[in-house]
Amino acid sequence: MQLKGKSAIVTGSTSGIGLGIAQALAAQGANIMLNGFGTAEEIEAAKVAVKTKAHPEAVILYSNADMTKASDIEAMVNDAKAGFGAVDIVVNNAGVQHTALVEEFPVAKWDMLLALLLSAAFHTTRLTVADMKTRKWGRIVNIASVHGLVASTMKSAYVSAKHGVVGLTKVVALETAGTGVTCNAICPGWVLTPLVQKQIDALAAKEQLSNEDAKAKLLGEKQPTKAFATPEEIGEFVLFLCSEGAQQITGAALTMDGGWSAQ
Ligand code: NAD
């Protein structure tokens, strides 16, 4: 029980990567503040999935905070502090994608993606890091993307925000260096989640491909291993960053991209 007695906020944990991370942290005994959208059934299913993995003493809470809204984020952090006593681990993961050429990119979508993918991490960090420094232990893990390091067409908002998150990660790492707090970014390539399935569906419809052929095409274009990473694997990576062995890893943008960014 590596994380017994520690408490974590995992944003966007009703689905995909965030749910995998929440399950991994709960399995090591951490209290978890779940967050994210979905139907009542989907949210309940996520809670059950995490509780099933969790240590019996772990407290599992849920916040419906809209991570594009600073006031909602503040309320969620306050709820976590009240419920757990402290916040030791923050995983900034909530995200969406929107694809369009830059000249056609809807302004409202740009604003929403920047708020969700970049500003949200600023808010959760500014609201938790001082307490982490006081307690001399903390872990901030930003789920960026290989798109925090390299670009693709049609993803101007996403790529800009993810590069921004990598920059924020570096600044927070420098400001917390030597305090017992670390801040790192994980940069996955393709992970098969609902966010990516939508892109597979769009490719399949556009090029009249089967689901399997569209998956193979998507992987073949960018990811040399030609295999998806899994939410479970990313959960394991977060656990390692939360371990004492990772104390000297800070300010890093760590890829988990099947070789995508090596090309
Ligand atoms: P997903 O669609 O499965 O999950 C996204 C989560 O974010 C859900 O819980 C959703 O409810 C939540 N969310 C969306 N908008 C929100 C809002 N305004 N407020 C609060 N929660 C909100 O997607 P995923 O693939 O698991 O993506 C998770 C993160 O991983 C994202 O930041 C994404 O950019 C990043 N990422 C994904 C991949 C991939 O291939 N899937 C690759 C690299 C990075």
Side-chain angles (χ1 to χ4, degrees):
M1 287 295 139
Q2 178 191 326
L3 297 174
K4 197 160 177 295
K6 298 273 196 273
S7 300
I9 295 174
V10 185
T11 73
S13 44
T14 51
S15 170
I17 293 170
L19 182 54
I21 294 168
Q23 287 178 299
L25 294 173
Q28 288 302 319
N31 301 320
I32 308 287
M33 172 62 85
L34 295 169
N35 158 258
F37 295 157
T39 62
E41 292 75 31
E42 286 165 345
I43 291 165
E44 188 53 33
K47 284 185 196 165
V48 169
V50 173
K51 280 181 183 161
T52 306
K53 293 261 177 170
H55 185 272
E57 284 171 30
V59 180
I60 311 298
L61 302 178
Y62 166 76
S63 162
N64 65 358
D66 178 343
M67 296 301 295
T68 65
K69 298 193 173 130
S71 54
D72 277 24
I73 297 171
E74 207 156 335
M76 178 185 70
V77 171
N78 286 341
D79 287 350
K81 287 179 180 173
F84 302 142
V87 176
D88 307 287
I89 300 164
V90 173
V91 182
N92 290 303
N93 167 80
V96 294
Q97 179 61 276
H98 185 82
T99 55
L101 289 171
V102 67
E103 65 268 34
E104 291 163 8
F105 213 92
V107 171
K109 285 280 185 200
W110 170 277
D111 289 345
M112 192 270 270
L113 261 74
L114 267 286
L116 180 59
L117 298 173
L118 178 55
S119 300
F122 158 68
H123 291 301
T124 58
T125 301
R126 75 178 171 82
L127 293 165
T128 57
V129 75
D131 287 352
M132 289 179 187
K133 285 197 276 192
T134 303
R135 289 196 312 284
K136 299 185 169 43
W137 199 93
R139 294 288 187 268
I140 300 171
V141 182
N142 295 323
I143 305 305
S145 167
V146 68
H147 283 120
L149 305 171
V150 296
S152 296
T153 58
M154 310 284 283
K155 295 184 176 176
S156 53
Y158 189 87
V159 169
S160 302
K162 295 295 189 182
H163 274 68
V165 163
V166 169
L168 174 68
T169 301
K170 292 176 183 175
V171 173
V172 175
L174 293 179
E175 291 183 4
T176 55
T179 66
V181 178
T182 69
C183 180
N184 290 290
I186 296 179
C187 300
W190 292 125
V191 186
L192 191 54
T193 66
L195 181 145
V196 164
Q197 187 60 49
K198 281 185 204 149
Q199 295 174 65
I200 294 166
D201 293 345
L203 183 65
K206 186 170 158 230
E207 303 200 5
Q208 309 238 301
L209 298 171
S210 69
N211 184 51
E212 286 314 303
D213 287 348
K215 278 184 189 168
K217 177 145 200 227
L218 199 82
L219 288 168
E221 282 168 356
K222 301 270 187 182
Q223 196 142 312
T225 57
K226 297 189 173 36
F228 292 101
T230 65
E232 292 73 22
E233 288 165 354
I234 297 180
E236 291 293 320
F237 203 171
V238 173
L239 279 185
F240 174 65
L241 290 175
C242 291
S243 71
E244 294 314 308
Q247 185 62 37
Q248 291 304 318
I249 302 176
T250 195
L254 303 157
T255 57
M256 199 176 198
D257 64 2
W260 179 328
S261 59
Q263 297 167 98

